[in-house]
Amino acid sequence: MEDKSDQNDQGISSYWQRKKDKKEEENKKAKSWLREWVDAIVFAFIAAALLRAFLFGSYKIPTPSMEKTLMTGDLLIVSNITYGPRTPMAICVPFIQGWCVPGVKLPSTRLPGFRDIERNDIFVFNVPWEVKPVSQKTNYIKRAVAIARDTISIQDKVLYINGEPEKNHPGVQKHYVLRMADRVRLSTAKMESVGGELIGYNNQDTYIVNMSDEVAETVQGWAELDTMYLNVNDAGAVDRNYVQSQGDFSKAFNNPDQMPEIVVPFEGQEIEITNDNWYIYKDIIERYERNELRREGGTIFINGEETNSYTIKQDYYFGMGDNRDNSQDSRFWGFVPEDHVIGKAALVWFSTDNFVPRFERIFTVIK
């Protein structure tokens, strides 16, 4: 007859074994659940990184340079696929600007897109003048007012493309001088009521105002207005803040309101380098197309060879902000290289003004 104590010992042993097995099973399920979640998160992260790199990304408007077309606080969807996405240029942490393996550059190319950049597209690009790997330069957004092969000029603040004044865009604003009738004061509220902005005043009856052509037409009809005209720097007037701005391009001119005719550089274009256009092409040859460039007296050397001719290696674009007198753009730092282009601004998906939502701008298509 089996000893009852042996039976009790076996029962206790079996109980603890079942408990141990149950615990191991629960641990396996927990590990399996955790692994599934980790796998899902990793997959979602990789998928989001690929979508952002090759299809579309998000961009926040940080400054008023594109107002009133785009407002500070707008959150945009930027289509990378429209012009063709760029393959990675460096080994970087996705979604974090500037976190890259130092000194590592990858050979990059642009994959096929739906179309080329068209004149007046609103596009996002890496600002050319920064000294960083291209993909890690600050993102800028401007209107591509001129594309490769276009001839541009600026006369008294008016932009000309191929000899014709630029197409009117409702959001474009410029600074005007308003002189009011004797003893009439212009208030901030009055300007805001018609969609303009009072910038300042020169004396009791002369004011500087930022407004679009449409607002200017309204103001022109005011009975209390004496005189109105664009606030323009003359061709010979030197704006030191302009001349000394980032990049070398602005050193070729006196101010952003006057610019002689220039052809926007294009791939295969043969240019003659002179002392007069040295600063127009210096950054293109030296920085964007990576040549050794120097000037000794009137003699120019490219990659150690004496020459005054150069063949452009890629297309370029001229970008300007719609808020013309409050925009650091191609007038200051020059042309946008094709390899710096990120994508086309497509949609405002959300917008805030000091954390207050602008519901009327949500899901607005950008034109």
Side-chain angles (χ1 to χ4, degrees), residues 275-288:
N275 286 329
D276 291 336
N277 65 23
W278 170 261
Y279 288 115
I280 293 175
Y281 296 111
K282 183 176 184 293
D283 282 340
I284 290 178
I285 298 171
E286 186 175 41
R287 296 178 59 185
Y288 311 148

mmCIF file with all atom_site columns, all heavy atoms in Angstrom, residues 275-288:
data_model
loop_
_atom_site.group_PDB
_atom_site.id
_atom_site.type_symbol
_atom_site.label_atom_id
_atom_site.label_alt_id
_atom_site.label_comp_id
_atom_site.label_asym_id
_atom_site.label_entity_id
_atom_site.label_seq_id
_atom_site.pdbx_PDB_ins_code
_atom_site.Cartn_x
_atom_site.Cartn_y
_atom_site.Cartn_z
_atom_site.occupancy
_atom_site.B_iso_or_equiv
_atom_site.pdbx_formal_charge
_atom_site.auth_seq_id
_atom_site.auth_comp_id
_atom_site.auth_asym_id
_atom_site.auth_atom_id
_atom_site.pdbx_PDB_model_num
ATOM 1   N N   . ASN A 1 275 ? 34.727 90.350 -63.890 1.00 0.00 ? 275 ASN A N   1
ATOM 2   C CA  . ASN A 1 275 ? 34.722 91.019 -62.592 1.00 0.00 ? 275 ASN A CA  1
ATOM 3   C C   . ASN A 1 275 ? 33.329 91.532 -62.252 1.00 0.00 ? 275 ASN A C   1
ATOM 4   O O   . ASN A 1 275 ? 32.948 91.615 -61.086 1.00 0.00 ? 275 ASN A O   1
ATOM 5   C CB  . ASN A 1 275 ? 35.725 92.176 -62.573 1.00 0.00 ? 275 ASN A CB  1
ATOM 6   C CG  . ASN A 1 275 ? 37.164 91.678 -62.495 1.00 0.00 ? 275 ASN A CG  1
ATOM 7   O OD1 . ASN A 1 275 ? 37.428 90.621 -61.912 1.00 0.00 ? 275 ASN A OD1 1
ATOM 8   N ND2 . ASN A 1 275 ? 38.085 92.421 -63.082 1.00 0.00 ? 275 ASN A ND2 1
ATOM 9   N N   . ASP A 1 276 ? 32.533 91.867 -63.275 1.00 0.00 ? 276 ASP A N   1
ATOM 10  C CA  . ASP A 1 276 ? 31.189 92.395 -63.033 1.00 0.00 ? 276 ASP A CA  1
ATOM 11  C C   . ASP A 1 276 ? 30.216 91.328 -62.546 1.00 0.00 ? 276 ASP A C   1
ATOM 12  O O   . ASP A 1 276 ? 29.316 91.616 -61.752 1.00 0.00 ? 276 ASP A O   1
ATOM 13  C CB  . ASP A 1 276 ? 30.638 93.040 -64.308 1.00 0.00 ? 276 ASP A CB  1
ATOM 14  C CG  . ASP A 1 276 ? 31.382 94.322 -64.673 1.00 0.00 ? 276 ASP A CG  1
ATOM 15  O OD1 . ASP A 1 276 ? 31.969 94.944 -63.751 1.00 0.00 ? 276 ASP A OD1 1
ATOM 16  O OD2 . ASP A 1 276 ? 31.384 94.695 -65.861 1.00 0.00 ? 276 ASP A OD2 1
ATOM 17  N N   . ASN A 1 277 ? 30.359 90.081 -63.056 1.00 0.00 ? 277 ASN A N   1
ATOM 18  C CA  . ASN A 1 277 ? 29.412 89.036 -62.640 1.00 0.00 ? 277 ASN A CA  1
ATOM 19  C C   . ASN A 1 277 ? 30.030 88.014 -61.680 1.00 0.00 ? 277 ASN A C   1
ATOM 20  O O   . ASN A 1 277 ? 29.426 86.972 -61.399 1.00 0.00 ? 277 ASN A O   1
ATOM 21  C CB  . ASN A 1 277 ? 28.817 88.323 -63.861 1.00 0.00 ? 277 ASN A CB  1
ATOM 22  C CG  . ASN A 1 277 ? 29.857 87.544 -64.656 1.00 0.00 ? 277 ASN A CG  1
ATOM 23  O OD1 . ASN A 1 277 ? 30.910 87.156 -64.163 1.00 0.00 ? 277 ASN A OD1 1
ATOM 24  N ND2 . ASN A 1 277 ? 29.558 87.312 -65.939 1.00 0.00 ? 277 ASN A ND2 1
ATOM 25  N N   . TRP A 1 278 ? 31.217 88.306 -61.181 1.00 0.00 ? 278 TRP A N   1
ATOM 26  C CA  . TRP A 1 278 ? 31.946 87.396 -60.294 1.00 0.00 ? 278 TRP A CA  1
ATOM 27  C C   . TRP A 1 278 ? 31.069 86.926 -59.132 1.00 0.00 ? 278 TRP A C   1
ATOM 28  O O   . TRP A 1 278 ? 30.961 85.740 -58.850 1.00 0.00 ? 278 TRP A O   1
ATOM 29  C CB  . TRP A 1 278 ? 33.210 88.083 -59.787 1.00 0.00 ? 278 TRP A CB  1
ATOM 30  C CG  . TRP A 1 278 ? 33.935 87.367 -58.684 1.00 0.00 ? 278 TRP A CG  1
ATOM 31  C CD1 . TRP A 1 278 ? 33.861 87.626 -57.345 1.00 0.00 ? 278 TRP A CD1 1
ATOM 32  C CD2 . TRP A 1 278 ? 34.850 86.272 -58.819 1.00 0.00 ? 278 TRP A CD2 1
ATOM 33  N NE1 . TRP A 1 278 ? 34.670 86.775 -56.639 1.00 0.00 ? 278 TRP A NE1 1
ATOM 34  C CE2 . TRP A 1 278 ? 35.298 85.923 -57.522 1.00 0.00 ? 278 TRP A CE2 1
ATOM 35  C CE3 . TRP A 1 278 ? 35.333 85.555 -59.908 1.00 0.00 ? 278 TRP A CE3 1
ATOM 36  C CZ2 . TRP A 1 278 ? 36.193 84.906 -57.280 1.00 0.00 ? 278 TRP A CZ2 1
ATOM 37  C CZ3 . TRP A 1 278 ? 36.247 84.522 -59.670 1.00 0.00 ? 278 TRP A CZ3 1
ATOM 38  C CH2 . TRP A 1 278 ? 36.673 84.212 -58.372 1.00 0.00 ? 278 TRP A CH2 1
ATOM 39  N N   . TYR A 1 279 ? 30.412 87.851 -58.449 1.00 0.00 ? 279 TYR A N   1
ATOM 40  C CA  . TYR A 1 279 ? 29.619 87.478 -57.275 1.00 0.00 ? 279 TYR A CA  1
ATOM 41  C C   . TYR A 1 279 ? 28.307 86.796 -57.644 1.00 0.00 ? 279 TYR A C   1
ATOM 42  O O   . TYR A 1 279 ? 27.720 86.090 -56.821 1.00 0.00 ? 279 TYR A O   1
ATOM 43  C CB  . TYR A 1 279 ? 29.345 88.708 -56.413 1.00 0.00 ? 279 TYR A CB  1
ATOM 44  C CG  . TYR A 1 279 ? 30.566 89.188 -55.674 1.00 0.00 ? 279 TYR A CG  1
ATOM 45  C CD1 . TYR A 1 279 ? 31.132 90.432 -55.944 1.00 0.00 ? 279 TYR A CD1 1
ATOM 46  C CD2 . TYR A 1 279 ? 31.183 88.389 -54.714 1.00 0.00 ? 279 TYR A CD2 1
ATOM 47  C CE1 . TYR A 1 279 ? 32.258 90.869 -55.267 1.00 0.00 ? 279 TYR A CE1 1
ATOM 48  C CE2 . TYR A 1 279 ? 32.319 88.812 -54.031 1.00 0.00 ? 279 TYR A CE2 1
ATOM 49  C CZ  . TYR A 1 279 ? 32.846 90.057 -54.310 1.00 0.00 ? 279 TYR A CZ  1
ATOM 50  O OH  . TYR A 1 279 ? 33.962 90.480 -53.646 1.00 0.00 ? 279 TYR A OH  1
ATOM 51  N N   . ILE A 1 280 ? 27.842 86.975 -58.871 1.00 0.00 ? 280 ILE A N   1
ATOM 52  C CA  . ILE A 1 280 ? 26.616 86.297 -59.300 1.00 0.00 ? 280 ILE A CA  1
ATOM 53  C C   . ILE A 1 280 ? 26.847 84.792 -59.418 1.00 0.00 ? 280 ILE A C   1
ATOM 54  O O   . ILE A 1 280 ? 25.993 83.981 -59.043 1.00 0.00 ? 280 ILE A O   1
ATOM 55  C CB  . ILE A 1 280 ? 26.123 86.868 -60.646 1.00 0.00 ? 280 ILE A CB  1
ATOM 56  C CG1 . ILE A 1 280 ? 25.678 88.324 -60.460 1.00 0.00 ? 280 ILE A CG1 1
ATOM 57  C CG2 . ILE A 1 280 ? 24.975 86.026 -61.222 1.00 0.00 ? 280 ILE A CG2 1
ATOM 58  C CD1 . ILE A 1 280 ? 25.292 89.018 -61.757 1.00 0.00 ? 280 ILE A CD1 1
ATOM 59  N N   . TYR A 1 281 ? 28.025 84.413 -59.918 1.00 0.00 ? 281 TYR A N   1
ATOM 60  C CA  . TYR A 1 281 ? 28.296 83.000 -60.189 1.00 0.00 ? 281 TYR A CA  1
ATOM 61  C C   . TYR A 1 281 ? 29.250 82.349 -59.195 1.00 0.00 ? 281 TYR A C   1
ATOM 62  O O   . TYR A 1 281 ? 29.442 81.123 -59.249 1.00 0.00 ? 281 TYR A O   1
ATOM 63  C CB  . TYR A 1 281 ? 28.869 82.850 -61.605 1.00 0.00 ? 281 TYR A CB  1
ATOM 64  C CG  . TYR A 1 281 ? 27.903 83.250 -62.692 1.00 0.00 ? 281 TYR A CG  1
ATOM 65  C CD1 . TYR A 1 281 ? 28.117 84.389 -63.469 1.00 0.00 ? 281 TYR A CD1 1
ATOM 66  C CD2 . TYR A 1 281 ? 26.752 82.503 -62.936 1.00 0.00 ? 281 TYR A CD2 1
ATOM 67  C CE1 . TYR A 1 281 ? 27.225 84.757 -64.471 1.00 0.00 ? 281 TYR A CE1 1
ATOM 68  C CE2 . TYR A 1 281 ? 25.853 82.863 -63.928 1.00 0.00 ? 281 TYR A CE2 1
ATOM 69  C CZ  . TYR A 1 281 ? 26.094 83.997 -64.685 1.00 0.00 ? 281 TYR A CZ  1
ATOM 70  O OH  . TYR A 1 281 ? 25.206 84.365 -65.661 1.00 0.00 ? 281 TYR A OH  1
ATOM 71  N N   . LYS A 1 282 ? 29.829 83.109 -58.300 1.00 0.00 ? 282 LYS A N   1
ATOM 72  C CA  . LYS A 1 282 ? 30.863 82.570 -57.396 1.00 0.00 ? 282 LYS A CA  1
ATOM 73  C C   . LYS A 1 282 ? 30.360 81.375 -56.585 1.00 0.00 ? 282 LYS A C   1
ATOM 74  O O   . LYS A 1 282 ? 30.994 80.311 -56.554 1.00 0.00 ? 282 LYS A O   1
ATOM 75  C CB  . LYS A 1 282 ? 31.359 83.666 -56.454 1.00 0.00 ? 282 LYS A CB  1
ATOM 76  C CG  . LYS A 1 282 ? 32.486 83.222 -55.511 1.00 0.00 ? 282 LYS A CG  1
ATOM 77  C CD  . LYS A 1 282 ? 32.984 84.396 -54.688 1.00 0.00 ? 282 LYS A CD  1
ATOM 78  C CE  . LYS A 1 282 ? 34.173 83.991 -53.807 1.00 0.00 ? 282 LYS A CE  1
ATOM 79  N NZ  . LYS A 1 282 ? 33.780 83.034 -52.755 1.00 0.00 ? 282 LYS A NZ  1
ATOM 80  N N   . ASP A 1 283 ? 29.212 81.513 -55.919 1.00 0.00 ? 283 ASP A N   1
ATOM 81  C CA  . ASP A 1 283 ? 28.698 80.409 -55.102 1.00 0.00 ? 283 ASP A CA  1
ATOM 82  C C   . ASP A 1 283 ? 28.329 79.198 -55.950 1.00 0.00 ? 283 ASP A C   1
ATOM 83  O O   . ASP A 1 283 ? 28.509 78.048 -55.526 1.00 0.00 ? 283 ASP A O   1
ATOM 84  C CB  . ASP A 1 283 ? 27.475 80.865 -54.310 1.00 0.00 ? 283 ASP A CB  1
ATOM 85  C CG  . ASP A 1 283 ? 27.860 81.695 -53.085 1.00 0.00 ? 283 ASP A CG  1
ATOM 86  O OD1 . ASP A 1 283 ? 29.012 81.596 -52.642 1.00 0.00 ? 283 ASP A OD1 1
ATOM 87  O OD2 . ASP A 1 283 ? 27.007 82.459 -52.592 1.00 0.00 ? 283 ASP A OD2 1
ATOM 88  N N   . ILE A 1 284 ? 27.800 79.429 -57.140 1.00 0.00 ? 284 ILE A N   1
ATOM 89  C CA  . ILE A 1 284 ? 27.434 78.312 -58.020 1.00 0.00 ? 284 ILE A CA  1
ATOM 90  C C   . ILE A 1 284 ? 28.657 77.470 -58.346 1.00 0.00 ? 284 ILE A C   1
ATOM 91  O O   . ILE A 1 284 ? 28.654 76.236 -58.195 1.00 0.00 ? 284 ILE A O   1
ATOM 92  C CB  . ILE A 1 284 ? 26.782 78.841 -59.318 1.00 0.00 ? 284 ILE A CB  1
ATOM 93  C CG1 . ILE A 1 284 ? 25.406 79.409 -59.032 1.00 0.00 ? 284 ILE A CG1 1
ATOM 94  C CG2 . ILE A 1 284 ? 26.691 77.720 -60.367 1.00 0.00 ? 284 ILE A CG2 1
ATOM 95  C CD1 . ILE A 1 284 ? 24.719 79.995 -60.252 1.00 0.00 ? 284 ILE A CD1 1
ATOM 96  N N   . ILE A 1 285 ? 29.713 78.124 -58.812 1.00 0.00 ? 285 ILE A N   1
ATOM 97  C CA  . ILE A 1 285 ? 30.907 77.392 -59.254 1.00 0.00 ? 285 ILE A CA  1
ATOM 98  C C   . ILE A 1 285 ? 31.631 76.749 -58.074 1.00 0.00 ? 285 ILE A C   1
ATOM 99  O O   . ILE A 1 285 ? 32.014 75.577 -58.123 1.00 0.00 ? 285 ILE A O   1
ATOM 100 C CB  . ILE A 1 285 ? 31.858 78.338 -60.018 1.00 0.00 ? 285 ILE A CB  1
ATOM 101 C CG1 . ILE A 1 285 ? 31.156 78.881 -61.273 1.00 0.00 ? 285 ILE A CG1 1
ATOM 102 C CG2 . ILE A 1 285 ? 33.153 77.627 -60.394 1.00 0.00 ? 285 ILE A CG2 1
ATOM 103 C CD1 . ILE A 1 285 ? 31.925 79.997 -61.969 1.00 0.00 ? 285 ILE A CD1 1
ATOM 104 N N   . GLU A 1 286 ? 31.788 77.517 -57.014 1.00 0.00 ? 286 GLU A N   1
ATOM 105 C CA  . GLU A 1 286 ? 32.637 77.091 -55.902 1.00 0.00 ? 286 GLU A CA  1
ATOM 106 C C   . GLU A 1 286 ? 31.927 76.171 -54.912 1.00 0.00 ? 286 GLU A C   1
ATOM 107 O O   . GLU A 1 286 ? 32.469 75.130 -54.518 1.00 0.00 ? 286 GLU A O   1
ATOM 108 C CB  . GLU A 1 286 ? 33.160 78.332 -55.180 1.00 0.00 ? 286 GLU A CB  1
ATOM 109 C CG  . GLU A 1 286 ? 34.167 78.044 -54.079 1.00 0.00 ? 286 GLU A CG  1
ATOM 110 C CD  . GLU A 1 286 ? 34.722 79.331 -53.499 1.00 0.00 ? 286 GLU A CD  1
ATOM 111 O OE1 . GLU A 1 286 ? 33.937 80.294 -53.291 1.00 0.00 ? 286 GLU A OE1 1
ATOM 112 O OE2 . GLU A 1 286 ? 35.935 79.386 -53.254 1.00 0.00 ? 286 GLU A OE2 1
ATOM 113 N N   . ARG A 1 287 ? 30.703 76.523 -54.518 1.00 0.00 ? 287 ARG A N   1
ATOM 114 C CA  . ARG A 1 287 ? 30.045 75.810 -53.433 1.00 0.00 ? 287 ARG A CA  1
ATOM 115 C C   . ARG A 1 287 ? 29.060 74.758 -53.919 1.00 0.00 ? 287 ARG A C   1
ATOM 116 O O   . ARG A 1 287 ? 29.065 73.622 -53.458 1.00 0.00 ? 287 ARG A O   1
ATOM 117 C CB  . ARG A 1 287 ? 29.328 76.807 -52.522 1.00 0.00 ? 287 ARG A CB  1
ATOM 118 C CG  . ARG A 1 287 ? 30.283 77.759 -51.825 1.00 0.00 ? 287 ARG A CG  1
ATOM 119 C CD  . ARG A 1 287 ? 29.559 78.754 -50.964 1.00 0.00 ? 287 ARG A CD  1
ATOM 120 N NE  . ARG A 1 287 ? 28.762 78.087 -49.939 1.00 0.00 ? 287 ARG A NE  1
ATOM 121 C CZ  . ARG A 1 287 ? 27.958 78.730 -49.105 1.00 0.00 ? 287 ARG A CZ  1
ATOM 122 N NH1 . ARG A 1 287 ? 27.815 80.039 -49.207 1.00 0.00 ? 287 ARG A NH1 1
ATOM 123 N NH2 . ARG A 1 287 ? 27.288 78.072 -48.198 1.00 0.00 ? 287 ARG A NH2 1
ATOM 124 N N   . TYR A 1 288 ? 28.189 75.124 -54.873 1.00 0.00 ? 288 TYR A N   1
ATOM 125 C CA  . TYR A 1 288 ? 27.125 74.208 -55.275 1.00 0.00 ? 288 TYR A CA  1
ATOM 126 C C   . TYR A 1 288 ? 27.610 73.166 -56.273 1.00 0.00 ? 288 TYR A C   1
ATOM 127 O O   . TYR A 1 288 ? 27.078 72.059 -56.315 1.00 0.00 ? 288 TYR A O   1
ATOM 128 C CB  . TYR A 1 288 ? 25.934 74.968 -55.869 1.00 0.00 ? 288 TYR A CB  1
ATOM 129 C CG  . TYR A 1 288 ? 25.484 76.140 -55.019 1.00 0.00 ? 288 TYR A CG  1
ATOM 130 C CD1 . TYR A 1 288 ? 24.938 77.280 -55.589 1.00 0.00 ? 288 TYR A CD1 1
ATOM 131 C CD2 . TYR A 1 288 ? 25.616 76.109 -53.632 1.00 0.00 ? 288 TYR A CD2 1
ATOM 132 C CE1 . TYR A 1 288 ? 24.526 78.350 -54.812 1.00 0.00 ? 288 TYR A CE1 1
ATOM 133 C CE2 . TYR A 1 288 ? 25.224 77.179 -52.847 1.00 0.00 ? 288 TYR A CE2 1
ATOM 134 C CZ  . TYR A 1 288 ? 24.683 78.297 -53.444 1.00 0.00 ? 288 TYR A CZ  1
ATOM 135 O OH  . TYR A 1 288 ? 24.280 79.362 -52.675 1.00 0.00 ? 288 TYR A OH  1
#
